[in-house]
Amino acid sequence: EGVEQISAETLGNYFVDNGIGTPSAAVRDASDLSLVHLTFTVPFGSGVTNTITLNNINDFSSNAIAANSTAQFVYYETVLPDSGDVVINEVLFHAETGGKEFIELYNRSSKYIDLKDVYFYDASYSNPLFAITTARRILLPGEYVAVTEDTTDIISRYFVPDHSALIQSPNLPSFTDGEIGRA
């Protein structure tokens, strides 16, 4: 729901624990009126769970958010992966008839890696790099994800206990039974 600009941009209506405090700027998004961009001068610790407390923010009908509403979030400072940090753990290159293939990736490093910085490579193409995603998606240390062209298809065919471990990517190289690209 969209928020009223004056209350949304009042700095004292926001507070983050862990010594972060109030933002130095709060700007309601010009196109998505339910989104407020907050800027802080105190740096967030990477991998630390923070709690933001919100007060006195109104919607367009002057309905205020509940007093002392809170939400938790984690900020991750990402680094570019080195060779071997992210490995292909499993490949389904011979899917059921009508089914989609997938590649399972594993972060075997202790780094927080943004998958928008990771590409599949297939030298048989004139443009051999295939972006996994253009959106920010952090791959945590020790985390697995499966990349596929159709997450709904994978969920319908296989037991997937955590749907957030699936990434839909229209940008996968094609697989054959005898060979695949490298990550």
Side-chain angles (χ1 to χ4, degrees), residues 31-140:
S31 58
D32 182 351
L33 302 181
S34 67
L35 181 63
V36 179
H37 300 275
L38 303 176
T39 303
F40 293 85
T41 56
V42 176
F44 288 90
S46 184
V48 175
T49 300
N50 300 282
T51 301
I52 187 168
T53 303
L54 307 139
N55 282 294
N56 306 314
I57 301 169
N58 299 319
D59 65 12
F60 290 113
S61 299
S62 296
N63 298 313
I65 190 169
N68 295 312
S69 294
T70 62
Q72 289 191 322
F73 66 96
V74 180
Y75 167 80
Y76 295 105
E77 187 170 334
T78 60
V79 295
L80 292 174
D82 289 320
S83 179
D85 285 347
V86 178
V87 295
I88 294 174
N89 188 65
E90 181 179 348
V91 177
L92 176 67
F93 58 87
H94 189 69
E96 295 176 4
T97 302
K100 296 296 181 181
E101 301 163 328
F102 68 79
I103 299 173
E104 184 181 73
L105 302 177
Y106 173 66
N107 180 356
R108 67 180 192 174
S109 76
S110 60
K111 301 173 184 175
Y112 299 109
I113 297 172
D114 193 337
L115 287 176
K116 70 178 176 51
D117 298 327
V118 178
Y119 298 83
F120 291 115
Y121 176 81
D122 189 334
S124 67
Y125 289 84
S126 60
N127 294 320
L129 295 178
F130 293 82
I132 292 173
T133 181
T134 57
R136 183 171 166 93
R137 171 50 166 93
I138 308 303
L139 184 62
L140 302 175

